[in-house]
């Protein structure tokens, strides 16, 4: 049911590239893992669950969902850190014909209220108490489903272009946007990845080597979800980190479980390399370290090659994609990165790229068309992010070389990527503006050696008022934005923000002001 051959076809009412043969249902995806029933699938602390235990638990979790009143097409938020219960909830919702909504575990109470109110949720499955506008149920209540053998659940059928999952991304409009992805999107993203690395499920069997991967990226992000599915479909063993990212824990898990694959954003890589215990852990089992989620500097790649010689020849890769794309659009392997250190690679087999309105240097907005691209944003009118011909307007500026390799040159949207997390500047500015002493505010990104970018804010306070302190402003933001969206550098002043023609705030001038101010 899989192959690598792509052709020019039609989907969602517009032309595009498709695979000739592909899986069509989540049932088919799950059935392909039956040859690995006795293999370990999920490792979480002291818990070790096999593929058979996991599949057997899905029927009991599905029955539990039905008892809670969930019916096909209902939207159910899964709100928690990576755990076996989180994974089982998502798969059981798919088999039940419901739509998992993947909440960001780091949201503020304001963002939680926005997301739960936007989508008309039936239920929230959560690992922490929430004040939500719909019923909640503890994720921990699913743990018992793994304790005894169960009957495997069969999946409900639906159209390939029905909504299969909702994830969230920050955008220039402020509050998190709900990205709707179809089942076609989820499956095509996996087929792209597995076709490129030669590990399509029909090529594997019970005797195929088992890859051991570490999942420290949150699975509520598109990269984490994609990695989960990739290793599930290929019979891999997935080691789940506990709680928020911790470089020391990552190194301990790699050493203890002999992890071979660890996907990370560049900030995670830097923090592992900088950790005082880096040299005291045996990381020689690592064979693959894919990086994505933020620009990867050539200096970082060389530093990894030097620190971990086992990755020098073929272990590093760089990917480019986004939530709206349903996953990854391009990939550069180790050979590509040695020859073209700044590239994000070439497109996957059914991904088309186009540079819109290129300048004299060939740089313009990168447009992408693929069956992985989102259906749209829930609760929002069509804003042109995906046009009538199926092209996703990414907001990234880039160019293509003569061999079809893509280079990202910047972003047209007012977004800061801090350690792999997207921060909408407008959202932060709007929250700052609600402070009684603030007249106007601007949020912007500044280069940072660890995070890639850090968030800075310039605040203009009301004349005659006592200037607010940075600590006061941080406390004011705490309930309005995510923790990663609270600025770490501040300029608090009385003079107005500088503007360009048309009264657009001149953020280039503000960035320069931070360089000359010595502001912490």
């Amino acid at each position: 049911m899989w192959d690598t051959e792509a052709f020019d076809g039609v989907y969602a009412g517009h032309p595009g590239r498709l695979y000739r043969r592909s899986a069509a249902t989540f049932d088919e995806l799950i059935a392909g893992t039956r040859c690995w029933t006795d293999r370990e699938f999920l490792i979480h602390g002291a818990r070790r669950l096999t593929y058979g235990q996991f599949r057997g638990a899905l029927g009991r979790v599905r029955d539990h969902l039905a008892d809670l009143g969930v019916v096909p097409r209902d939207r159910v938020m899964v709100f928690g850190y990576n755990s076996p219960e989180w994974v089982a909830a998502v798969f059981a919702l798919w088999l039940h014909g419901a739509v998992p909504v993947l909440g960001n575990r780091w949201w503020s109470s304001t963002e939680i209220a926005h997301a739960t109110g936007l989508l008309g949720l039936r239920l929230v499955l959560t690992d922490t108490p929430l004040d939500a506008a719909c019923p909640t149920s503890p994720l921990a209540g699913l743990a018992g489903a793994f304790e005894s053998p169960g009957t495997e659940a069969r999946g409900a059928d639906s159209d390939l272009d029905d909504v299969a999952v909702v994830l969230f991304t920050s955008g220039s409009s402020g509050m998190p946007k709900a990205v709707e992805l179809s089942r076609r999107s989820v499956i095509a993203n996996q087929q792209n990845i597995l076709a490129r690395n030669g590990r399509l499920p029909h090529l594997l069997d019970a005797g195929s080597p088992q890859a051991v991967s570490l999942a420290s990226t949150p699975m509520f992000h598109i990269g984490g979800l994609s990695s989960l599915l990739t290793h599930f479909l290929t019979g891999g063993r997935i080691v789940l980190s506990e709680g928020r990212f911790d470089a020391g824990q990552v190194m301990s898990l790699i050493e203890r479980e002999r992890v071979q694959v660890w996907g990370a954003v560049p900030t995670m890589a830097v923090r592992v390399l900088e950790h005082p215990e880096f040299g005291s852990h045996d990381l020689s089992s690592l064979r693959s370290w894919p990086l994505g989620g933020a620009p990867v500097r050539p200096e970082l790649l060389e530093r990894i090659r030097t620190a971990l010689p086992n990755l020098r020849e073929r272990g590093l890769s760089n990917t480019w994609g986004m939530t709206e794309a349903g996953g990854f659009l391009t990939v550069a392997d180790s050979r590509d990165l040695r020859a073209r250190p700044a590239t994000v690679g070439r497109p996957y087999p059914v991904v088309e790229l186009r540079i819109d309105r290129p300048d004299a240097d060939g740089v313009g907005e990168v447009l992408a068309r693929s069956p992985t691209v989102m259906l749209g944003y829930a609760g929002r009118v069509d804003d042109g992010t995906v046009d009538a011909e199926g092209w996703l307007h990414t907001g990234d500026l880039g160019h293509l070389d003569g061999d079809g390799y893509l280079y990202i040159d910047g972003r047209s949207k007012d977004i800061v990527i801090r350690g792999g997390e997207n921060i909408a500047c407008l959202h932060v500015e709007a929250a700052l503006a609600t402070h009684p002493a603030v007249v106007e505010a601007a949020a912007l990104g500044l280069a940072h050696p660890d995070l890639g970018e850090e968030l800075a804010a310039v605040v203009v306070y009301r004349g005659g008022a006592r200037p607010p302190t940075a600590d006061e402003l941080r406390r004011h933001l705490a309930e309005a934005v995510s923790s990663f969206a609270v600025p770490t550098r501040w300029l608090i002043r009385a003079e107005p923000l500088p503007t360009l023609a048309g009264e657009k705030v001149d953020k280039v001038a503000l960035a320069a002001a931070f360089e000359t101010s010595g502001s912490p």
Side-chain angles (χ1 to χ4, degrees), residues 32-357:
T33 69
R34 291 191 179 121
C35 63
W36 300 306
T37 292
D38 295 328
R39 277 189 182 182
E40 288 183 333
F41 171 39
L42 295 174
I43 312 299
H44 189 231
R47 302 168 68 191
R48 311 184 78 88
L49 303 172
T50 67
Y51 276 83
Q53 287 174 299
F54 178 75
R55 290 197 311 269
L58 295 182
R60 290 191 292 278
V61 175
R62 181 177 174 175
D63 290 344
H64 179 67
L65 292 169
D67 291 342
L68 293 171
V70 177
V71 299
R73 297 184 179 274
D74 275 349
R75 297 184 177 216
V76 175
M77 182 176 285
V78 186
F79 188 84
Y81 291 119
N82 295 352
S83 69
E85 290 74 28
W86 191 100
V87 178
V90 171
F91 276 75
L93 286 164
W94 276 332
L95 291 177
H96 196 51
V99 178
V101 175
L102 310 186
N104 187 320
R105 184 61 173 76
W106 301 331
W107 276 337
S108 68
S109 57
T110 302
E111 289 164 320
I112 294 168
H114 165 77
T116 56
L118 176 69
L119 292 161
L121 300 178
R122 168 71 68 178
L123 178 72
V124 178
L125 296 168
T126 177
D127 68 358
T128 188
L130 290 179
D131 182 13
C134 64
T136 65
S137 182
L139 271 170
L142 307 183
F146 297 105
E147 293 175 0
S148 59
T151 303
E152 292 189 19
R154 300 293 298 176
D157 199 14
S158 64
D159 188 90
L160 267 174
D161 291 313
D162 283 348
V163 180
V165 64
V166 178
L167 300 95
F168 290 83
T169 185
S170 295
S172 57
S173 59
M175 280 290 181
K177 294 184 289 186
V179 173
E180 297 182 320
L181 300 179
S182 66
R183 187 165 78 244
R184 185 193 302 277
S185 168
V186 174
I187 293 173
N189 181 61
Q190 290 305 304
Q191 192 158 359
N192 273 336
I193 296 167
L194 299 176
R196 179 61 61 88
N197 64 24
R199 288 182 61 79
L200 285 166
H202 71 282
L203 302 176
L204 308 176
D205 57 31
S208 300
Q210 184 179 36
V212 182
S213 67
L214 172 61
S216 59
T217 301
M219 291 175 178
F220 52 71
H221 285 336
I222 188 64
L225 178 66
S226 177
S227 180
L228 164 67
L229 292 171
T230 295
H231 292 287
F232 175 74
L233 292 174
T234 56
R237 182 191 309 157
I238 302 175
V239 181
L240 303 176
S241 60
E242 298 183 73
R244 302 188 72 158
F245 174 76
D246 177 84
Q249 180 190 161
V250 163
M251 291 187 291
S252 295
L253 289 172
I254 291 172
E255 181 176 36
R256 187 187 81 195
E257 298 292 340
R258 307 306 296 155
V259 170
Q260 299 162 330
V261 183
W262 179 46
V265 300
T267 299
M268 293 177 175
V270 170
R271 289 182 178 172
V272 165
L273 294 172
E274 290 287 343
H275 197 278
E277 297 178 5
F278 175 75
S280 64
H281 288 277
D282 179 4
L283 308 183
S284 62
S285 61
L286 278 177
R287 294 291 178 267
S288 177
W289 195 347
L291 298 169
V296 181
R297 303 188 313 277
E299 297 83 2
L300 174 59
L301 294 172
E302 188 54 36
R303 187 176 175 189
I304 294 172
R305 294 186 186 109
T306 301
L308 295 168
N310 41 309
L311 296 173
R312 174 167 287 279
E313 293 302 319
R314 54 180 300 178
L316 297 175
S317 62
N318 188 11
T319 60
W320 173 70
M322 58 197 63
T323 310
E324 290 91 338
F328 305 118
L329 295 168
T330 67
V331 63
D333 62 20
S334 287
R335 289 171 298 179
D336 296 328
L337 293 173
R338 283 195 297 271
R340 301 170 170 86
T343 189
V344 294
R346 290 182 295 172
Y348 281 102
V350 294
V351 174
E352 303 168 83
L353 298 180
R354 178 161 64 87
I355 305 300
D356 191 36
R357 293 177 291 179

